[in-house]
């Protein structure tokens, strides 16, 4: 017999539960105070559904997280894994409370409200102009490890609930709507969104969720790339000098990804073209690039202080940054993806689709929407080819003794071949040629790798060797 959990106040339960969630951004800092900013009842009865905005104070700053809170008198077995606890003394929210994103009976309310453009308290449910939203569908969260939580409704829609809320319109919604207006073929259609009226605080509505077309025929770029790397690792070794034969054979191996990488490069260039058309291009003076390099150095200092394993590479990284600063010139800046990697793209029947224009989750909102050089995205994807190639080498504590060196060479060959194919596709489709801006791309790559070191140290410590190993190689 299971012993029922003790009754506790909702705020105390949430303070215990929140730091254990993958999407919680402040895991490495203790919570000083948690309070409920807004609570909106979306459905009464048993089960009931409440929308909460949690104000979480850490290190003197307050972040806002949203939570769909389910409340039931009895918690069925299938919902135990998302239990938060049992509340007492809260007349409005009393009973077993849990993360209702995992409860299809409750998540269907979101779709119904978007279809009908319902307004409940400060919450506004919106339908995208010229589209419909089917009702009565139940949503279940994807199994993907994410910074947000996405619910799939009957293979028709995917609804991304932004967990950490930023002020104003979320760039993912803003960019997707703008690209739709440009007729961009490389994004899924937007069907609706949910926003929070800022009320007496003024300002723009805060985006809470984005409802998009579910790409039924889509396969995640990361999974496709990993399959290709696995095939490549499984090929029998070739005779001849190891490095040369590895590089030559990366093309001949089964599951070659290079043609896909090239098409992905072309799709990326076309999305950059549409972003430029939608938001404009600004010629920035050299000082802007020097400011960016300054910010790269600040991040490097912070991450080096927090993650000692980065220290041996810091000097070499700084030299790459300084080189760009010294040769800074005027450059065309525009809106970009901002957190571009293989997990953000899907291969469908009709080609590559780009997802998640939210920018890097750890960066402040203003930085995420800032104009940037499009090669910053290119560098992000180049890092991702490195990640895919190296992931199998460090997974589960690494490979057996003796196998690592040969596979390192193979991993490197796979990464090089696909990085080159991606850059060729990008330049051929009209993007700025990465080869002609090699120093800039290298600096962007190093900056991204430093970001990844912090990201992995905070979120997936067992992955930390992936960016560290490629930094060791890139930094020489
Ligand atoms: N429109 C879509 N159709 C099918 N799957 C999708 C769609 N959008 C996202 N996904 C899946 O969900 C995952 C995470 O989506 P993403 O927008 O990147 O969320 P997050 O910001 O939380 O990382 C993607 O890697 C993809 O597997
Ligand atoms: O997709 P998110 O917006 O949540 O982005 C964050 O998480 C990513 C991992 O899920 C992280 O990406 C890093 O790991 C990927 C493999 O899982 C790899 O393809 C990327 O190149 C690497 O940067 C991303 O940095 C982070 O912001």
């Amino acid at each position: 017999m299971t012993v029922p959990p003790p009754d506790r106040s909702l705020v105390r339960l949430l303070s215990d539960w929140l730091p254990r969630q993958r999407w919680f951004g402040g895991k490495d800092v203790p919570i000083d105070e948690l309070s409920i900013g807004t609570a909106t009842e979306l459905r009464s009865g048993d089960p009931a559904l409440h929308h909460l905005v949690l104000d979480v104070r850490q290190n003197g700053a307050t972040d806002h997280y949203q939570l769909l809170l389910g409340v039931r008198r009895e918690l069925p077995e299938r919902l135990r894994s998302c239990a938060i606890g049992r509340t007492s003394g809260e007349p409005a929210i009393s009973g077993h409370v849990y993360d209702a994103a995992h409860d299809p009976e409750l998540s269907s309310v979101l779709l119904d409200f978007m279809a009908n453009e319902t307004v409940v308290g400060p919450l506004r449910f919106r339908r995208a102009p010229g589209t419909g939203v089917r009702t009565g569908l139940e949503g279940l969260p994807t199994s993907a490890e994410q910074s947000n939580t996405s619910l799939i409704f009957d293979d028709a829609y995917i609804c991304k609930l932004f967990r950490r809320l930023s002020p104003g319109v979320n760039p993912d919604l803003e960019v997707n709507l703008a690209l739709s207006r440009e007729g961009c073929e490389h994004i899924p259609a937007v069907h609706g969104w949910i926003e929070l009226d800022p009320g007496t605080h003024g300002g723009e509505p805060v985006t809470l969720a984005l409802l998009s077309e579910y790409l039924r025929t889509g396969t995640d770029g990361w999974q496709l790339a990993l399959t290709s790397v696995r095939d490549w690792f499984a090929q029998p070794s070739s005779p001849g000098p190891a490095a040369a034969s590895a590089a030559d054979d990366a093309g001949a191996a089964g599951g070659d990804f290079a043609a896909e990488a090239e098409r992905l490069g072309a799709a990326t260039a076309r999305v950059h073209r549409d972003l430029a058309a939608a938001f404009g291009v600004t010629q920035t003076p050299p000082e802007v690039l020097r400011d960016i390099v300054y910010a790269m150095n600040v991040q490097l200092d912070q991450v080096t202080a927090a993650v000692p394993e980065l220290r041996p590479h810091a000097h070499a990284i700084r030299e790459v940054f300084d080189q760009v600063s010294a040769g800074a010139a005027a450059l065309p800046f525009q809106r970009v993806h901002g957190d571009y990697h293989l997990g953000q793209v899907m291969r469908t029947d009709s080609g590559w689709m780009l997802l998640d224009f939210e920018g890097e989750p750890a960066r402040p909102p203003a930085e995420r929407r800032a104009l940037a050089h499009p090669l910053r995205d290119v560098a992000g994807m180049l890092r991702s080819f490195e990640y895919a190639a190296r992931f199998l080498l460090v997974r589960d504590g690494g490979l057996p003794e003796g196998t690592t060196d040969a596979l390192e060479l193979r991993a490197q060959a796979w990464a090089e071949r696909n990085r080159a194919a991606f850059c060729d596709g990008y330049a051929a489709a009209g993007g700025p040629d990465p080869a002609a801006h090699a120093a800039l791309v290298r600096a962007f790559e190093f900056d991204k790798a430093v970001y990844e070191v912090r990201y992995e140290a905070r979120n997936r410590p067992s992955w930390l060797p992936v960016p560290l190993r490629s930094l060791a190689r890139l930094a020489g």
Side-chain angles (χ1 to χ4, degrees):
M1 192 184 98
T2 46
V3 180
D7 289 0
R8 294 168 69 193
S9 88
L10 183 56
V11 165
R12 281 191 61 188
L13 290 171
L14 291 169
S15 305
D16 284 350
W17 177 80
L18 196 62
R20 287 184 272 122
Q21 304 315 301
R22 155 74 165 87
W23 41 262
F24 180 61
K27 289 192 204 54
D28 49 353
V29 184
I31 295 178
D32 301 326
E33 192 187 339
L34 182 149
S35 56
I36 296 175
T38 66
T40 312
E41 187 181 69
L42 299 180
R43 180 180 141 156
S44 58
D46 185 15
L49 178 63
H50 296 257
H51 179 273
L52 304 185
V53 175
L54 307 177
D55 300 341
V56 183
R57 212 154 69 82
Q58 292 178 289
N59 252 350
T62 303
D63 279 323
H64 308 282
Y65 289 86
Q66 76 167 316
L67 172 65
L68 287 168
L69 189 80
V71 189
R72 288 178 180 258
R73 268 196 294 275
E74 294 300 327
L75 197 65
E77 187 64 42
R78 66 189 158 81
L79 292 173
R80 295 265 159 89
S81 60
C82 55
I84 298 172
R86 210 175 68 193
T87 58
S88 64
E90 329 240 351
I93 300 178
S94 175
H96 290 272
V97 290
Y98 60 98
D99 183 355
H102 298 261
D103 187 348
E105 200 180 333
L106 290 179
S107 58
S108 64
V109 171
L110 305 180
L111 217 55
D112 298 352
F113 282 9
M114 276 186 263
N116 295 307
E117 301 226 78
T118 305
V119 176
V120 197
L123 264 59
R124 300 196 290 234
F125 293 78
R126 305 285 307 272
R127 186 161 31 83
T131 63
V133 175
R134 280 163 57 200
T135 56
L137 306 181
E138 296 191 333
L140 272 173
T142 61
S143 54
E145 282 256 299
Q146 286 177 251
S147 310
N148 298 297
T149 299
S150 292
L151 307 177
I152 298 172
F153 288 90
D154 202 20
D155 282 7
Y157 307 111
I158 181 161
C159 181
K160 173 149 85 165
L161 296 167
F162 299 108
R163 288 299 193 163
R164 179 155 60 183
L165 302 177
S166 311
V169 179
N170 188 289
D172 206 8
L173 172 65
E174 179 194 26
V175 169
N176 271 294
L177 285 175
L179 286 176
S180 309
R181 284 193 290 268
E182 290 300 320
C184 180
E185 290 172 354
H186 297 286
I187 53 156
V190 178
H191 284 269
W193 65 94
I194 310 174
E195 61 192 23
L196 182 79
D197 185 340
T200 52
H201 303 302
E204 285 180 308
V206 175
T207 312
L208 301 173
L210 169 62
L211 184 73
S212 310
E213 161 199 9
Y214 182 70
L215 301 170
R216 252 179 244 100
T217 65
T219 311
D220 184 62
W222 171 253
Q223 292 306 334
L224 278 177
L226 278 191
T227 306
S228 165
V229 175
R230 254 188 224 107
D231 280 1
W232 168 229
F233 281 1
Q235 294 293 311
S237 322
S238 316
S245 75
D248 291 348
D249 288 359
D256 186 18
F257 193 71
E260 286 299 353
E262 193 174 342
R263 281 192 280 271
L264 179 58
T268 307
R270 286 195 282 269
V271 171
H272 280 162
R273 179 201 60 200
D274 292 343
L275 282 169
F279 295 98
V281 179
T282 304
Q283 200 68 18
T284 57
E287 302 82 72
V288 172
L289 188 56
R290 282 195 278 271
D291 288 349
I292 289 172
V293 173
Y294 178 80
M296 289 176 174
N297 275 309
V298 169
Q299 176 178 260
L300 177 61
D301 289 342
Q302 289 168 348
V303 183
T304 312
V307 187
E309 293 92 328
L310 183 60
R311 284 182 201 152
H313 313 301
H315 179 69
I317 297 170
R318 214 175 292 284
E319 278 185 348
V320 171
F321 291 168
D322 290 348
Q323 198 192 336
V324 167
S325 200
L331 288 171
F333 272 36
Q334 61 163 92
R335 288 294 289 266
V336 298
H337 183 281
D339 187 19
Y340 202 41
H341 59 83
L342 284 162
Q344 311 280 39
V345 293
M346 294 190 95
R347 180 72 170 90
T348 69
D349 284 357
S350 51
W352 284 101
M353 299 295 222
L354 275 59
L355 309 170
D356 193 5
F357 288 83
E358 239 196 308
E360 285 170 358
R363 298 217 190 250
E367 241 177 79
R368 296 199 210 171
R369 324 166 87 113
L371 302 187
H373 196 277
L375 288 175
R376 194 178 135 198
D377 282 347
V378 168
M381 192 54 79
L382 295 181
R383 289 284 318 125
S384 209
F385 287 120
E386 284 271 325
Y387 248 75
R390 286 174 190 284
F391 168 68
L392 298 176
L393 299 178
V394 302
R395 193 190 53 174
D396 306 330
L399 296 160
E401 197 70 20
T403 56
T404 326
D405 286 352
L407 288 182
E408 272 280 344
L409 284 174
R410 284 182 168 232
Q412 213 169 298
W414 187 94
E416 274 163 22
R417 175 175 172 80
N418 288 291
R419 287 162 57 98
F422 177 81
C423 290
D424 288 349
Y426 183 78
D433 187 357
H437 298 83
L440 186 62
V441 173
R442 198 166 148 81
F444 284 141
E445 268 204 79
F446 272 69
D447 184 51
K448 182 74 189 185
V450 171
Y451 166 88
E452 288 163 350
V453 166
R454 173 163 57 194
Y455 180 86
E456 300 304 0
R458 280 184 180 166
N459 296 288
R460 307 183 293 196
S462 67
W463 289 57
L464 186 56
V466 178
L468 283 175
R469 275 205 198 184
S470 57
L471 269 172
R473 194 182 66 81
L474 286 168

